[in-house]
Amino acid sequence: MGGTMRLGSRRTHFQVPDCMSAKLYGNAKFVDERHRHRYEVNPDMISEIEKAGLSFVGKDETGRRMEIVELQSHPYFVGVQFHPEFKSRPGKPSALFLGLIAAASGCLEAILQASGKLNKVSTDSVANRPAMGRVYQNGNVYSNGNGLHH
């Protein structure tokens, strides 16, 4: 039973640089997230799924496994194969959870805009955390140490 399970940290490369997920991860080119599953998207169905409107914006290092999917016509529709909750902490939430909360509270656009204005830091050191300031209800964005203030 355990022979086909994908376990541990795996790298996911963003295929669409300006997708919502990449922006939430601070415009990283890739993320390393933990997996614990044995499921994959059927390769024969990928083109049909994409024709229906879903976009596979993240793939594994081989480019054959679909890791992140988004629905562009929805305010916040992100699906992932990995488990962002495995590395999420109260003071350092997963970028995807932060995006969900921001979308639910009406702050997502400010978060996404802030991600493009921050100083670039090596993706090796920030690939698994959002490199962005906090967005408050009044729309002000405050720095997380990168010098961004509104």
Side-chain angles (χ1 to χ4, degrees):
M1 282 279 300
T4 60
M5 184 168 277
R6 288 175 51 84
L7 288 171
S9 184
R10 304 287 177 138
R11 185 158 286 176
T12 297
H13 295 271
F14 290 107
Q15 307 297 304
V16 181
D18 64 340
C19 69
M20 187 179 316
S21 301
K23 289 178 184 176
L24 288 170
Y25 277 103
N27 294 316
K29 294 182 193 276
F30 61 86
V31 292
D32 294 315
E33 290 283 1
R34 290 180 52 194
H35 288 69
R36 182 179 174 77
H37 64 85
R38 61 173 42 93
Y39 303 106
E40 294 182 18
V41 176
N42 182 342
D44 297 335
M45 299 296 296
I46 291 172
S47 63
E48 234 177 289
I49 292 169
E50 288 180 328
K51 283 181 203 170
L54 288 175
S55 177
F56 292 103
V57 299
K59 297 181 182 179
D60 75 341
E61 59 280 347
T62 68
R64 293 186 308 230
R65 289 188 182 96
M66 307 298 113
E67 296 285 343
I68 304 174
V69 65
E70 293 181 5
L71 181 61
Q72 303 300 321
S73 62
H74 191 276
Y76 190 81
F77 185 105
V78 177
V80 296
Q81 279 283 74
F82 50 82
H83 288 266
E85 72 275 12
F86 286 172
K87 294 171 84 174
S88 193
R89 300 291 179 264
K92 185 178 157 187
S94 162
L96 301 177
F97 293 153
L98 181 65
L100 176 63
I101 299 301
S105 62
C107 299
L108 182 60
E109 194 56 41
I111 290 275
L112 296 176
Q113 287 176 0
S115 70
K117 296 178 184 175
L118 296 177
N119 296 333
K120 296 292 182 202
V121 180
S122 168
T123 55
D124 292 334
S125 64
V126 297
N128 290 309
R129 67 174 192 228
M132 61 196 72
R134 290 188 177 133
V135 178
Y136 297 91
Q137 281 187 328
N138 63 5
N140 291 330
V141 180
Y142 292 94
S143 175
N144 62 350
N146 292 337
L148 175 70
H149 303 281
H150 287 240

mmCIF file of all heavy atoms in Angstrom, residues 13-16 19 40-43 45-51 53-59 65-72 79 81:
data_model
loop_
_atom_site.group_PDB
_atom_site.id
_atom_site.type_symbol
_atom_site.label_atom_id
_atom_site.label_comp_id
_atom_site.label_asym_id
_atom_site.label_seq_id
_atom_site.Cartn_x
_atom_site.Cartn_y
_atom_site.Cartn_z
ATOM 1 N N HIS A 13 6.928 23.953 -9.193
ATOM 2 C CA HIS A 13 7.342 25.096 -10.022
ATOM 3 C C HIS A 13 6.100 25.784 -10.583
ATOM 4 O O HIS A 13 5.211 25.124 -11.118
ATOM 5 C CB HIS A 13 8.241 24.635 -11.170
ATOM 6 C CG HIS A 13 9.535 24.070 -10.689
ATOM 7 N ND1 HIS A 13 10.637 24.848 -10.481
ATOM 8 C CD2 HIS A 13 9.883 22.809 -10.348
ATOM 9 C CE1 HIS A 13 11.630 24.094 -10.045
ATOM 10 N NE2 HIS A 13 11.192 22.849 -9.949
ATOM 11 N N PHE A 14 6.078 27.107 -10.469
ATOM 12 C CA PHE A 14 4.967 27.866 -11.020
ATOM 13 C C PHE A 14 5.126 27.947 -12.533
ATOM 14 O O PHE A 14 6.173 28.338 -13.039
ATOM 15 C CB PHE A 14 4.899 29.267 -10.410
ATOM 16 C CG PHE A 14 4.484 29.246 -8.969
ATOM 17 C CD1 PHE A 14 5.399 29.497 -7.964
ATOM 18 C CD2 PHE A 14 3.179 28.949 -8.613
ATOM 19 C CE1 PHE A 14 5.019 29.457 -6.633
ATOM 20 C CE2 PHE A 14 2.787 28.902 -7.289
ATOM 21 C CZ PHE A 14 3.714 29.159 -6.298
ATOM 22 N N GLN A 15 4.070 27.600 -13.253
ATOM 23 C CA GLN A 15 4.060 27.635 -14.714
ATOM 24 C C GLN A 15 3.571 28.975 -15.232
ATOM 25 O O GLN A 15 3.840 29.343 -16.364
ATOM 26 C CB GLN A 15 3.151 26.528 -15.263
ATOM 27 C CG GLN A 15 3.469 25.155 -14.718
ATOM 28 C CD GLN A 15 4.854 24.698 -15.091
ATOM 29 O OE1 GLN A 15 5.202 24.649 -16.261
ATOM 30 N NE2 GLN A 15 5.672 24.375 -14.095
ATOM 31 N N VAL A 16 2.820 29.687 -14.409
ATOM 32 C CA VAL A 16 2.248 30.981 -14.770
ATOM 33 C C VAL A 16 2.779 31.985 -13.742
ATOM 34 O O VAL A 16 2.304 32.026 -12.609
ATOM 35 C CB VAL A 16 0.701 30.929 -14.727
ATOM 36 C CG1 VAL A 16 0.106 32.265 -15.116
ATOM 37 C CG2 VAL A 16 0.182 29.803 -15.615
ATOM 38 N N CYS A 19 0.289 34.190 -11.672
ATOM 39 C CA CYS A 19 -0.901 33.561 -11.094
ATOM 40 C C CYS A 19 -1.037 33.976 -9.630
ATOM 41 O O CYS A 19 -0.098 34.444 -8.992
ATOM 42 C CB CYS A 19 -0.832 32.045 -11.233
ATOM 43 S SG CYS A 19 0.426 31.258 -10.217
ATOM 44 N N GLU A 40 -3.199 11.582 -8.135
ATOM 45 C CA GLU A 40 -2.691 12.462 -9.179
ATOM 46 C C GLU A 40 -3.826 12.775 -10.139
ATOM 47 O O GLU A 40 -4.807 12.050 -10.215
ATOM 48 C CB GLU A 40 -1.560 11.787 -9.961
ATOM 49 C CG GLU A 40 -0.324 11.535 -9.143
ATOM 50 C CD GLU A 40 0.785 10.903 -9.952
ATOM 51 O OE1 GLU A 40 0.745 10.968 -11.198
ATOM 52 O OE2 GLU A 40 1.692 10.340 -9.340
ATOM 53 N N VAL A 41 -3.659 13.847 -10.885
ATOM 54 C CA VAL A 41 -4.614 14.184 -11.934
ATOM 55 C C VAL A 41 -4.340 13.253 -13.111
ATOM 56 O O VAL A 41 -3.194 13.072 -13.529
ATOM 57 C CB VAL A 41 -4.453 15.663 -12.375
ATOM 58 C CG1 VAL A 41 -5.365 15.988 -13.535
ATOM 59 C CG2 VAL A 41 -4.706 16.585 -11.189
ATOM 60 N N ASN A 42 -5.391 12.670 -13.650
ATOM 61 C CA ASN A 42 -5.264 11.789 -14.800
ATOM 62 C C ASN A 42 -4.739 12.602 -15.985
ATOM 63 O O ASN A 42 -5.404 13.538 -16.438
ATOM 64 C CB ASN A 42 -6.632 11.183 -15.125
ATOM 65 C CG ASN A 42 -6.592 10.218 -16.275
ATOM 66 O OD1 ASN A 42 -5.670 10.193 -17.074
ATOM 67 N ND2 ASN A 42 -7.637 9.403 -16.371
ATOM 68 N N PRO A 43 -3.546 12.259 -16.513
ATOM 69 C CA PRO A 43 -2.968 13.028 -17.624
ATOM 70 C C PRO A 43 -3.877 13.097 -18.856
ATOM 71 O O PRO A 43 -3.836 14.074 -19.600
ATOM 72 C CB PRO A 43 -1.677 12.287 -17.953
ATOM 73 C CG PRO A 43 -1.380 11.454 -16.759
ATOM 74 C CD PRO A 43 -2.690 11.176 -16.088
ATOM 75 N N MET A 45 -6.953 13.614 -18.847
ATOM 76 C CA MET A 45 -8.041 14.559 -18.596
ATOM 77 C C MET A 45 -7.586 16.017 -18.511
ATOM 78 O O MET A 45 -8.421 16.915 -18.434
ATOM 79 C CB MET A 45 -8.745 14.183 -17.279
ATOM 80 C CG MET A 45 -9.381 12.810 -17.269
ATOM 81 S SD MET A 45 -10.705 12.656 -18.468
ATOM 82 C CE MET A 45 -11.876 13.825 -17.844
ATOM 83 N N ILE A 46 -6.298 16.260 -18.520
ATOM 84 C CA ILE A 46 -5.779 17.614 -18.294
ATOM 85 C C ILE A 46 -6.317 18.619 -19.309
ATOM 86 O O ILE A 46 -6.806 19.685 -18.936
ATOM 87 C CB ILE A 46 -4.237 17.615 -18.263
ATOM 88 C CG1 ILE A 46 -3.767 16.884 -17.010
ATOM 89 C CG2 ILE A 46 -3.687 19.039 -18.302
ATOM 90 C CD1 ILE A 46 -2.282 16.636 -16.952
ATOM 91 N N SER A 47 -6.271 18.304 -20.580
ATOM 92 C CA SER A 47 -6.744 19.266 -21.584
ATOM 93 C C SER A 47 -8.239 19.529 -21.446
ATOM 94 O O SER A 47 -8.690 20.662 -21.606
ATOM 95 C CB SER A 47 -6.407 18.801 -23.002
ATOM 96 O OG SER A 47 -7.064 17.604 -23.296
ATOM 97 N N GLU A 48 -8.999 18.494 -21.120
ATOM 98 C CA GLU A 48 -10.435 18.672 -20.919
ATOM 99 C C GLU A 48 -10.723 19.558 -19.703
ATOM 100 O O GLU A 48 -11.599 20.425 -19.736
ATOM 101 C CB GLU A 48 -11.109 17.306 -20.721
ATOM 102 C CG GLU A 48 -12.253 17.076 -21.677
ATOM 103 C CD GLU A 48 -12.835 15.691 -21.485
ATOM 104 O OE1 GLU A 48 -12.162 14.714 -21.846
ATOM 105 O OE2 GLU A 48 -13.969 15.633 -20.968
ATOM 106 N N ILE A 49 -9.976 19.334 -18.637
ATOM 107 C CA ILE A 49 -10.145 20.133 -17.420
ATOM 108 C C ILE A 49 -9.793 21.588 -17.701
ATOM 109 O O ILE A 49 -10.494 22.507 -17.272
ATOM 110 C CB ILE A 49 -9.276 19.556 -16.278
ATOM 111 C CG1 ILE A 49 -9.825 18.180 -15.860
ATOM 112 C CG2 ILE A 49 -9.205 20.509 -15.096
ATOM 113 C CD1 ILE A 49 -8.919 17.399 -14.933
ATOM 114 N N GLU A 50 -8.713 21.820 -18.438
ATOM 115 C CA GLU A 50 -8.305 23.183 -18.762
ATOM 116 C C GLU A 50 -9.310 23.869 -19.694
ATOM 117 O O GLU A 50 -9.565 25.060 -19.559
ATOM 118 C CB GLU A 50 -6.903 23.199 -19.344
ATOM 119 C CG GLU A 50 -5.850 22.910 -18.284
ATOM 120 C CD GLU A 50 -4.433 22.915 -18.805
ATOM 121 O OE1 GLU A 50 -4.224 22.537 -19.988
ATOM 122 O OE2 GLU A 50 -3.536 23.293 -18.034
ATOM 123 N N LYS A 51 -9.904 23.123 -20.610
ATOM 124 C CA LYS A 51 -10.946 23.693 -21.479
ATOM 125 C C LYS A 51 -12.158 24.149 -20.676
ATOM 126 O O LYS A 51 -12.842 25.085 -21.054
ATOM 127 C CB LYS A 51 -11.393 22.665 -22.527
ATOM 128 C CG LYS A 51 -10.453 22.479 -23.672
ATOM 129 C CD LYS A 51 -11.023 21.466 -24.642
ATOM 130 C CE LYS A 51 -9.917 20.851 -25.468
ATOM 131 N NZ LYS A 51 -10.388 19.704 -26.239
ATOM 132 N N GLY A 53 -12.012 25.553 -17.856
ATOM 133 C CA GLY A 53 -11.716 26.788 -17.136
ATOM 134 C C GLY A 53 -10.683 26.700 -16.028
ATOM 135 O O GLY A 53 -10.205 27.719 -15.554
ATOM 136 N N LEU A 54 -10.341 25.499 -15.585
ATOM 137 C CA LEU A 54 -9.308 25.377 -14.560
ATOM 138 C C LEU A 54 -7.935 25.532 -15.198
ATOM 139 O O LEU A 54 -7.720 25.115 -16.332
ATOM 140 C CB LEU A 54 -9.398 24.023 -13.854
ATOM 141 C CG LEU A 54 -10.575 23.835 -12.916
ATOM 142 C CD1 LEU A 54 -10.610 22.407 -12.386
ATOM 143 C CD2 LEU A 54 -10.507 24.813 -11.761
ATOM 144 N N SER A 55 -7.026 26.117 -14.465
ATOM 145 C CA SER A 55 -5.670 26.341 -14.972
ATOM 146 C C SER A 55 -4.669 25.698 -14.017
ATOM 147 O O SER A 55 -4.653 26.022 -12.831
ATOM 148 C CB SER A 55 -5.413 27.844 -15.085
ATOM 149 O OG SER A 55 -4.101 28.095 -15.494
ATOM 150 N N PHE A 56 -3.850 24.792 -14.536
ATOM 151 C CA PHE A 56 -2.817 24.161 -13.717
ATOM 152 C C PHE A 56 -1.606 25.088 -13.705
ATOM 153 O O PHE A 56 -0.829 25.132 -14.652
ATOM 154 C CB PHE A 56 -2.463 22.775 -14.260
ATOM 155 C CG PHE A 56 -3.575 21.787 -14.100
ATOM 156 C CD1 PHE A 56 -4.361 21.425 -15.181
ATOM 157 C CD2 PHE A 56 -3.868 21.243 -12.859
ATOM 158 C CE1 PHE A 56 -5.402 20.523 -15.030
ATOM 159 C CE2 PHE A 56 -4.908 20.348 -12.700
ATOM 160 C CZ PHE A 56 -5.674 19.983 -13.789
ATOM 161 N N VAL A 57 -1.459 25.831 -12.626
ATOM 162 C CA VAL A 57 -0.424 26.867 -12.554
ATOM 163 C C VAL A 57 0.847 26.388 -11.870
ATOM 164 O O VAL A 57 1.866 27.079 -11.917
ATOM 165 C CB VAL A 57 -0.957 28.134 -11.846
ATOM 166 C CG1 VAL A 57 -2.129 28.719 -12.619
ATOM 167 C CG2 VAL A 57 -1.349 27.842 -10.409
ATOM 168 N N GLY A 58 0.812 25.217 -11.247
ATOM 169 C CA GLY A 58 1.995 24.661 -10.603
ATOM 170 C C GLY A 58 2.140 23.193 -10.920
ATOM 171 O O GLY A 58 1.168 22.446 -10.878
ATOM 172 N N LYS A 59 3.378 22.807 -11.285
ATOM 173 C CA LYS A 59 3.654 21.404 -11.607
ATOM 174 C C LYS A 59 4.905 20.962 -10.861
ATOM 175 O O LYS A 59 5.711 21.786 -10.428
ATOM 176 C CB LYS A 59 3.868 21.231 -13.114
ATOM 177 C CG LYS A 59 2.643 21.569 -13.935
ATOM 178 C CD LYS A 59 2.901 21.362 -15.406
ATOM 179 C CE LYS A 59 1.676 21.740 -16.228
ATOM 180 N NZ LYS A 59 1.927 21.575 -17.662
ATOM 181 N N ARG A 65 3.293 16.097 -13.151
ATOM 182 C CA ARG A 65 2.282 16.052 -12.092
ATOM 183 C C ARG A 65 1.733 17.447 -11.848
ATOM 184 O O ARG A 65 2.468 18.396 -11.640
ATOM 185 C CB ARG A 65 2.881 15.511 -10.801
ATOM 186 C CG ARG A 65 3.198 14.051 -10.872
ATOM 187 C CD ARG A 65 3.615 13.537 -9.499
ATOM 188 N NE ARG A 65 3.959 12.140 -9.566
ATOM 189 C CZ ARG A 65 5.202 11.683 -9.706
ATOM 190 N NH1 ARG A 65 6.211 12.522 -9.784
ATOM 191 N NH2 ARG A 65 5.419 10.394 -9.750
ATOM 192 N N MET A 66 0.418 17.538 -11.844
ATOM 193 C CA MET A 66 -0.256 18.807 -11.585
ATOM 194 C C MET A 66 -0.303 19.014 -10.073
ATOM 195 O O MET A 66 -0.785 18.148 -9.352
ATOM 196 C CB MET A 66 -1.676 18.799 -12.142
ATOM 197 C CG MET A 66 -1.786 18.417 -13.611
ATOM 198 S SD MET A 66 -0.938 19.521 -14.713
ATOM 199 C CE MET A 66 0.375 18.449 -15.316
ATOM 200 N N GLU A 67 0.206 20.144 -9.605
ATOM 201 C CA GLU A 67 0.295 20.391 -8.166
ATOM 202 C C GLU A 67 -0.621 21.516 -7.684
ATOM 203 O O GLU A 67 -1.126 21.456 -6.580
ATOM 204 C CB GLU A 67 1.736 20.726 -7.779
ATOM 205 C CG GLU A 67 2.719 19.601 -8.016
ATOM 206 C CD GLU A 67 2.621 18.495 -6.990
ATOM 207 O OE1 GLU A 67 2.032 18.715 -5.922
ATOM 208 O OE2 GLU A 67 3.127 17.403 -7.265
ATOM 209 N N ILE A 68 -0.802 22.571 -8.503
ATOM 210 C CA ILE A 68 -1.638 23.703 -8.107
ATOM 211 C C ILE A 68 -2.596 24.024 -9.243
ATOM 212 O O ILE A 68 -2.182 24.109 -10.405
ATOM 213 C CB ILE A 68 -0.799 24.961 -7.794
ATOM 214 C CG1 ILE A 68 0.251 24.666 -6.722
ATOM 215 C CG2 ILE A 68 -1.701 26.117 -7.354
ATOM 216 C CD1 ILE A 68 1.206 25.822 -6.471
ATOM 217 N N VAL A 69 -3.860 24.215 -8.911
ATOM 218 C CA VAL A 69 -4.878 24.562 -9.897
ATOM 219 C C VAL A 69 -5.606 25.816 -9.420
ATOM 220 O O VAL A 69 -5.796 26.013 -8.222
ATOM 221 C CB VAL A 69 -5.859 23.386 -10.123
ATOM 222 C CG1 VAL A 69 -6.667 23.093 -8.887
ATOM 223 C CG2 VAL A 69 -6.761 23.624 -11.308
ATOM 224 N N GLU A 70 -5.959 26.676 -10.371
ATOM 225 C CA GLU A 70 -6.720 27.889 -10.064
ATOM 226 C C GLU A 70 -7.861 28.025 -11.059
ATOM 227 O O GLU A 70 -7.758 27.566 -12.189
ATOM 228 C CB GLU A 70 -5.837 29.137 -10.157
ATOM 229 C CG GLU A 70 -4.757 29.208 -9.107
ATOM 230 C CD GLU A 70 -3.922 30.471 -9.203
ATOM 231 O OE1 GLU A 70 -4.230 31.356 -10.029
ATOM 232 O OE2 GLU A 70 -2.954 30.581 -8.428
ATOM 233 N N LEU A 71 -8.916 28.669 -10.613
ATOM 234 C CA LEU A 71 -10.044 29.009 -11.471
ATOM 235 C C LEU A 71 -10.054 30.528 -11.585
ATOM 236 O O LEU A 71 -10.367 31.227 -10.619
ATOM 237 C CB LEU A 71 -11.360 28.494 -10.874
ATOM 238 C CG LEU A 71 -12.627 28.758 -11.681
ATOM 239 C CD1 LEU A 71 -12.550 28.100 -13.055
ATOM 240 C CD2 LEU A 71 -13.834 28.232 -10.914
ATOM 241 N N GLN A 72 -9.658 31.034 -12.752
ATOM 242 C CA GLN A 72 -9.471 32.474 -12.944
ATOM 243 C C GLN A 72 -10.763 33.267 -12.781
ATOM 244 O O GLN A 72 -10.724 34.417 -12.374
ATOM 245 C CB GLN A 72 -8.871 32.740 -14.326
ATOM 246 C CG GLN A 72 -7.559 32.023 -14.587
ATOM 247 C CD GLN A 72 -6.460 32.403 -13.621
ATOM 248 O OE1 GLN A 72 -6.336 33.558 -13.239
ATOM 249 N NE2 GLN A 72 -5.674 31.424 -13.198
ATOM 250 N N GLY A 79 -6.589 25.146 -5.622
ATOM 251 C CA GLY A 79 -6.515 23.769 -5.148
ATOM 252 C C GLY A 79 -5.083 23.281 -5.254
ATOM 253 O O GLY A 79 -4.389 23.603 -6.218
ATOM 254 N N GLN A 81 -2.189 19.886 -4.388
ATOM 255 C CA GLN A 81 -1.958 18.490 -4.036
ATOM 256 C C GLN A 81 -1.245 18.375 -2.695
ATOM 257 O O GLN A 81 -1.389 17.395 -2.000
ATOM 258 C CB GLN A 81 -1.098 17.809 -5.106
ATOM 259 C CG GLN A 81 -1.871 17.366 -6.308
ATOM 260 C CD GLN A 81 -2.651 16.103 -6.019
ATOM 261 O OE1 GLN A 81 -3.664 16.121 -5.327
ATOM 262 N NE2 GLN A 81 -2.186 14.994 -6.552
#
